[in-house]
Amino acid sequence: MTCTTLLKSTVALALALALAGLLTACGPRMDESRAESVPLQPNQRITLSEVVSSQLAPVNLADTDYLLLASEKRGLVLADMDGGEKLALDGGTVERFALQQLEENRWLVAVYDEDRGELQLRLLDVDPDSGEPQIRYLSAMATDAPQAAMCFSRQAGRTHLFAIDENGLGHEYVVHPREDAWQFTGIRPLYFGEQVSSCVVDDRHGKLLVAQPPLGIWRLNADAEMDEDREVFAAPAELAEEDFGGLWLDEASGNLWLTAGQKVLAFNLNNPAEGTRFSRQLAELEPVSAVIQRGQLLALEEESDVVQRFQVALPEPAAEMQAFRAPVEIPRVAASGQTVPVKSGGDAADDPAIWVNPVNPSASLILGTDKKSGLNVYDLNGALVEQFPVGRLNNVDLRPIQHGSFVAIAAATNRTDPGVSLFGITASGKVDYLGLRNLDMEDPYGLCVYRKGADLMAWVSDKDSDLQLLQIMPGDGDIDWQLEQRATLAVESQVEGCVVDDEKQKLFFGEEDVGIWRLDIAGFLNGEAQPQLIAPVDGIRLAADVEGMGLYHKGERSYLVVSSQGNNSYALFSRSGSEFIGHFKVDINLDRNIDGSSETDGLEVSSAAFGDQYPDGLLVVQDGRNRMPSQRQNFKLVSWSDIATTLELK
């Protein structure tokens, strides 16, 4: 053998060995890929009798596993894992239901009964005498159209139900016990369009997910007091089918399961961008409902009597689930009252002020701006007393005054004809309009009034410029009132909310994206002081925008109250503003059918005793989203006693 021949043989052998090694290395991957492409065969078929079901869900009662199925012939059917029927409703046509575990051995079920045209609430639990499962009727509500999707949500200890009809109109309800029956309390409408097939709520992240073939799966905030922030969770290309749905949430693993054509898919709720975590085609089956129970996949075809069980390797719990920590829940205080909605639509209500009637505190007034129209005057029950359509009033504040005609003067920035509108309040509570005083400003925005001895002063901000210090000069009777500029305070960005501690002559103002500033007014006027940033925006105590401000005056128990608009909360600081005391949200009051508040612009607070309803004072906040039902904006009233109890104030 020549050297050349030997060399060729050696090279050939090396190539053969390399190729063999490569094939060996690729072998398992090819087998695995082939297995993924082979339709998944069931290892068990659970056969039922005359159920005709298109949805199933696993439930556990008294340590026993069951399957709950929607039935087009018998409403709901509960079966054991061998297909033995345990119970069923007395008729009714049900294609969809929602399920929520209230506590051990108690499940709340919402169904749409097509025969009766109503949403029904049922309780699935265990009979205390026999120990057997039972379904009990709770309540029902007629609907205008058949319901295509229903899902429950847990919010602040309450049960919320989302129901979306076949026209794509959705509604959110609070469902709750009321005397002998459960009640549906409407929160808001939601709009999707036709072809919604199913929905679930991810309570960990506070998200509602809605399947709408062929557009995709939407994700939006479940909390009605937040912006929807609607986004695409899964696009049609990721689902690879025009028909998809059957959403089911596995909270333990953090996976969203659904059906698409002949496939069952799973997505990571924490990171949908990673694509499908599970995708398998089922043999001779187009599932419309799929769930996981005890580590196995169960699937159901449309209008079927057979549940198929599959033994298959399931995705591990999402890695993010191990490190997931839910946001720290901000305490909640229920609203005590509310005003009637403002006249203008959209973002209109803005800032309130409180006039305390010194003779009869229960006859006190709330002044609130409609920034598209003028000033509204309300009583403490929230009823509208008077309206002043004098222009686009933004912020309002008031102080007592020694005057022949009036006991208090209110001032409001007017953006229609740039200036300040003045109002006088008589001892009897009558409000008089004193006219507009123009200012050399492009856009008068924030405003707060205070007293300096016998003088009545006001700080007014230009929306995109500085603050001006003005003196309000009284006129004879109700005319000839004037404004005189005394100083200018330069600021870096937009300021709206402000308040002055009259006794200490300290100005607090909010630079919306920065935080709370404090200014020694006397020192500033003497050229010896500049504003100090005492509470920066940190996303927790204060979340931009920093908006309305008020001072609760009660000796050592005095507080600065600030609207933290970015997280729909209200922050309490010490009177000096240097110490954070706590924060809270204004919540739903189901007993009085009042929603909470959110996206608050202006607020005001008083420590006056206003009678039995507000014995320790009153907080009034603008509500940017007026729900229960959805209406134009208004103002919410909150008892300071409830705030003090919730935050355990001394």
Side-chain angles (χ1 to χ4, degrees):
M1 181 180 292
T2 65
C3 290
T4 302
T5 304
L6 179 61
L7 180 60
K8 290 181 178 178
S9 300
T10 303
V11 172
L13 178 60
L15 289 172
L17 289 172
L19 181 59
L22 182 61
L23 290 173
T24 301
C26 292
R29 293 191 182 93
M30 291 174 66
D31 290 343
E32 182 178 341
S33 176
R34 187 179 301 115
E36 293 259 341
S37 64
V38 173
L40 192 61
Q41 297 288 340
N43 65 300
Q44 181 187 6
R45 288 180 170 84
I46 304 172
T47 303
L48 300 106
S49 176
E50 295 187 347
V51 174
V52 189
S53 178
S54 299
Q55 184 184 359
L56 80 161
V59 297
N60 185 278
L61 291 166
D63 295 323
T64 302
D65 289 331
Y66 296 98
L67 292 176
L68 184 67
L69 299 102
S71 173
E72 294 187 27
K73 289 192 173 183
R74 289 178 292 148
L76 287 173
V77 172
L78 186 73
D80 62 29
M81 301 313 297
D82 295 321
E85 188 174 304
K86 300 299 294 184
L87 56 85
L89 295 183
D90 51 354
T93 299
V94 173
E95 293 187 9
R96 297 286 182 269
F97 63 84
L99 185 67
Q100 182 187 71
Q101 186 167 14
L102 299 177
E103 56 191 50
E104 187 177 7
N105 296 325
R106 295 183 75 237
W107 298 79
L108 185 65
V109 189
V111 303
Y112 175 71
D113 188 321
E114 290 190 10
D115 295 342
R116 296 180 175 86
E118 60 185 19
L119 270 173
Q120 299 177 355
L121 290 177
R122 305 271 179 165
L123 184 66
L124 174 61
D125 62 358
V126 176
D127 187 304
D129 297 324
S130 66
E132 292 296 315
Q134 62 179 1
I135 294 181
R136 292 184 283 158
Y137 173 87
L138 297 177
S139 67
M141 180 184 67
T143 64
D144 294 330
Q147 304 299 297
M150 293 170 291
C151 47
F152 282 118
S153 171
R154 296 181 183 88
Q155 298 183 34
R158 297 181 299 270
T159 297
H160 291 232
L161 174 66
F162 293 92
I164 307 169
D165 68 27
E166 63 181 11
N167 300 314
L169 175 60
H171 287 92
E172 179 184 0
Y173 306 95
V174 175
V175 292
H176 54 104
R178 179 76 73 189
E179 297 178 353
D180 297 331
W182 281 55
Q183 181 172 327
F184 294 81
T185 298
I187 300 294
R188 59 167 167 168
L190 292 159
Y191 305 95
F192 295 96
E194 296 179 352
Q195 294 181 268
V196 168
S197 62
S198 58
C199 67
V200 293
V201 177
D202 173 12
D203 284 319
R204 286 178 181 266
H205 300 91
K207 298 292 186 179
L208 168 65
L209 295 108
V210 177
Q212 188 177 18
L215 301 179
I217 298 174
W218 302 106
R219 180 168 63 177
L220 56 151
N221 284 321
D223 187 343
E225 296 296 351
M226 300 178 67
D227 285 331
E228 278 193 11
D229 286 339
R230 191 176 301 200
E231 61 183 352
V232 176
F233 176 88
E238 298 174 87
L239 303 170
E241 293 287 342
E242 289 191 0
D243 192 16
F244 51 83
L247 300 183
W248 183 77
L249 182 64
D250 184 359
E251 294 182 351
S253 69
N255 291 320
L256 175 70
W257 293 84
L258 66 145
T259 62
Q262 284 188 275
K263 292 183 177 182
V264 174
L265 310 175
F267 287 86
N268 179 359
L269 283 167
N270 301 278
N271 185 21
E274 74 177 26
T276 54
R277 305 192 73 226
F278 179 93
S279 177
R280 291 299 301 270
Q281 181 175 330
L282 306 187
E284 301 179 2
L285 177 68
E286 288 193 9
V288 294
S289 181
V291 300
I292 304 299
Q293 186 181 50
R294 304 291 183 185
Q296 293 188 318
L297 173 66
L298 283 72
L300 179 73
E301 202 163 17
E302 187 173 7
E303 298 181 348
S304 174
D305 288 334
V306 179
V307 177
Q308 303 206 32
R309 183 190 295 272
F310 300 85
Q311 187 72 45
V312 64
L314 300 175
E316 294 294 325
E320 296 88 343
M321 291 297 293
Q322 309 304 320
F324 179 81
R325 295 291 183 273
V328 176
E329 181 68 19
I330 297 175
R332 293 172 180 257
V333 180
S336 302
Q338 63 180 340
T339 67
V340 297
V342 297
K343 178 180 179 181
S344 304
D347 184 18
D350 194 89
D351 189 48
I354 302 171
W355 174 68
V356 180
N357 187 320
V359 178
N360 181 12
S362 62
S364 298
L365 299 174
I366 298 168
L367 280 62
T369 60
D370 178 337
K371 59 188 176 186
K372 296 182 179 181
S373 173
L375 185 75
N376 296 334
V377 181
Y378 310 93
D379 63 24
L380 293 184
N381 293 317
L384 182 64
V385 175
E386 195 168 4
Q387 286 182 305
F388 294 91
V390 296
R392 297 166 52 229
L393 300 189
N394 201 71
N395 278 36
V396 62
D397 199 6
L398 60 84
R399 284 294 188 273
I401 191 172
Q402 297 292 328
H403 189 271
S405 302
F406 307 111
V407 297
I409 294 295
T413 48
N414 195 321
R415 302 170 72 184
T416 298
D417 187 2
V420 170
S421 292
L422 297 176
F423 301 84
I425 304 174
T426 69
S428 64
K430 183 178 182 296
V431 180
D432 290 337
Y433 182 47
L434 305 181
L436 172 72
R437 304 298 181 268
N438 291 111
L439 292 177
D440 184 18
M441 282 188 177
E442 290 189 10
D443 192 0
Y445 197 50
L447 175 145
C448 47
V449 178
Y450 72 102
R451 293 192 60 83
K452 180 185 177 184
D455 295 332
L456 191 62
M457 313 293 292
W459 287 95
V460 179
S461 70
D462 202 337
K463 186 170 183 179
D464 295 313
S465 188
D466 302 332
L467 280 80
Q468 291 186 17
L469 176 60
L470 308 174
Q471 184 172 351
I472 302 175
M473 310 293 291
D476 295 329
D478 59 356
I479 60 173
D480 298 332
W481 292 70
Q482 301 297 323
L483 300 179
E484 293 189 8
Q485 184 176 345
R486 298 302 184 202
T488 299
L489 174 65
V491 293
E492 295 295 326
S493 63
Q494 191 171 101
V495 170
E496 181 176 11
C498 66
V499 66
V500 175
D501 186 332
D502 296 36
E503 181 182 341
K504 297 183 179 295
Q505 291 291 290
K506 304 289 186 185
L507 167 68
F508 299 89
F509 63 91
E511 197 173 353
E512 295 187 353
D513 296 330
V514 179
I516 302 170
W517 297 82
R518 181 181 63 208
L519 177 68
D520 182 324
I521 299 174
F524 171 73
L525 294 177
N526 292 331
E528 300 172 354
Q530 289 297 318
Q532 295 176 292
L533 182 64
I534 56 173
V537 166
D538 59 8
I540 301 172
R541 298 179 303 176
L542 284 177
D545 290 344
V546 175
E547 292 281 349
M549 294 184 179
L551 277 166
Y552 179 87
H553 288 287
K554 205 162 191 177
E556 295 301 317
R557 293 180 295 160
S558 298
Y559 304 96
L560 174 66
V561 188
V562 181
S563 167
S564 175
Q565 193 179 76
N567 58 6
N568 297 321
S569 71
Y570 307 90
L572 258 66
F573 294 86
S574 59
R575 180 176 180 176
S576 68
S578 301
E579 180 186 357
F580 176 72
I581 305 298
H583 52 183
F584 63 94
K585 293 185 175 184
V586 174
D587 198 20
I588 289 173
N589 188 327
L590 287 174
D591 292 335
R592 298 182 181 177
N593 204 43
I594 303 172
D595 68 309
S597 66
S598 57
E599 207 170 49
T600 290
D601 288 325
L603 61 78
E604 185 57 284
V605 63
S606 172
S607 62
F610 293 100
D612 293 341
Q613 191 170 358
Y614 306 109
D616 296 310
L618 169 67
L619 172 68
V620 181
V621 301
Q622 181 260 1
D623 184 12
R625 302 181 184 89
N626 190 17
R627 312 294 195 186
M628 294 177 59
S630 292
Q631 301 180 87
R632 295 183 299 276
Q633 294 178 344
N634 71 347
F635 299 90
K636 296 297 188 288
L637 283 61
V638 187
S639 169
W640 188 265
S641 301
D642 295 338
I643 297 170
T645 299
T646 300
L647 297 187
E648 299 180 350
L649 302 178
K650 293 180 181 180

